[in-house]
Amino acid sequence: MFRWVSIIEAVSFLVLLLVAMPLKYGADVPAAVQVMGPVHGVLFIGYVGLVLVVRAGLRWDVTRTALALAAGVLPVAPFFVEHYWARRPVSVPAS
């Protein structure tokens, strides 16, 4: 679930910045931000909450957790968190 929320949150942020904001300021359509802003806000809160929930299961230390939280405020960083850090660690079988 965290991986999906991470991706959707990043997409919502990009839509807010690249579609809704230009519509608001370039085409005088403030409804775009009025709709996308709260949608992105809910997804951002979900992302932050899920980072705190999954950190132990993914064996993230405090630094990685802080970086994952900071990634939520950068437009494409949650894609990288999802791709590189959100996979469960692979355990190596004993020989």
Side-chain angles (χ1 to χ4, degrees):
M1 179 157 186
F2 171 70
R3 294 182 68 202
W4 284 107
V5 171
S6 181
I7 292 168
I8 295 168
E9 189 274 338
V11 169
S12 77
F13 198 2
L14 291 173
V15 169
L16 181 63
L17 292 176
L18 301 176
V19 177
M21 296 284 289
L23 283 173
K24 177 180 179 177
Y25 294 108
D28 196 28
V29 182
V33 172
Q34 292 170 345
V35 171
M36 270 317 294
V39 169
H40 170 68
V42 168
L43 289 167
F44 175 78
I45 291 169
Y47 173 82
V48 169
L50 284 172
V51 164
L52 299 174
V53 168
V54 302
R55 70 173 293 276
L58 293 172
R59 299 181 189 163
W60 289 355
D61 59 9
V62 173
T63 303
R64 184 165 284 195
T65 302
L67 289 171
L69 290 170
V73 299
L74 300 172
V76 296
F79 288 123
F80 294 104
V81 171
E82 181 277 326
H83 184 74
Y84 292 108
W85 294 351
R87 303 183 196 284
R88 290 207 173 268
V90 177
S91 57
V92 179
S95 301

